[in-house]
Amino acid sequence: MAAKQEGVGRAWIRALKTEPLARLYIMYGEETYRRETAIGMIRRRLSPAGGFDWDTVELRGRSVTLDAISEAVSTPPLSAEYKLVLVREFDPIKNDIS
């Protein structure tokens, strides 16, 4: 009997649990549940105690500019070792980023 083939998404979610986190993840597509699950896993890995809100920056829609992204990633975290920067609803054409 052939072994069951695991989908790419499941393998990636499993890797988020066990492997060292990367500096950058780009998540896009229609699978909102899987994307939010991955973000939740990253949050829990960065701050197991759950006190990560001060060190999370979320940029959304028209507020996303190169300056805003640069500022968000260059400022140090306030109360944790790491800082999480989420860029949501980003479209480089609509946001006029070149």
Side-chain angles (χ1 to χ4, degrees), residues 45-56:
R45 295 255 332 253
L46 291 176
S47 179
F52 203 73
D53 289 338
W54 287 101
D55 295 306
T56 299

Side-chain angles (χ1 to χ4, degrees), residues 34-97:
R34 189 169 285 170
R35 185 174 51 243
E36 293 304 318
T37 299
I39 291 170
M41 293 172 78
I42 292 169
R43 282 181 194 262
R44 284 188 296 281
R45 295 255 332 253
L46 291 176
S47 179
F52 203 73
D53 289 338
W54 287 101
D55 295 306
T56 299
V57 175
E58 187 167 330
L59 304 172
R60 185 181 295 269
R62 290 258 184 225
S63 68
V64 179
T65 63
L66 288 179
D67 289 338
I69 295 170
S70 177
E71 182 180 334
V73 299
S74 65
T75 56
L78 296 173
S79 62
E81 186 176 351
Y82 300 100
K83 183 176 186 177
L84 177 63
V85 178
L86 296 171
V87 179
R88 297 179 182 267
E89 300 168 12
F90 175 70
D91 184 338
I93 296 170
K94 289 180 183 176
N95 291 54
D96 195 27
I97 292 182

Side-chain angles (χ1 to χ4, degrees), residues 15-43:
L16 281 178
K17 290 180 182 178
T18 58
E19 295 180 12
L21 292 174
R23 294 182 58 101
L24 173 70
Y25 290 99
I26 298 175
M27 299 178 223
Y28 62 93
E30 299 297 321
E31 293 193 44
T32 305
Y33 176 77
R34 189 169 285 170
R35 185 174 51 243
E36 293 304 318
T37 299
I39 291 170
M41 293 172 78
I42 292 169
R43 282 181 194 262

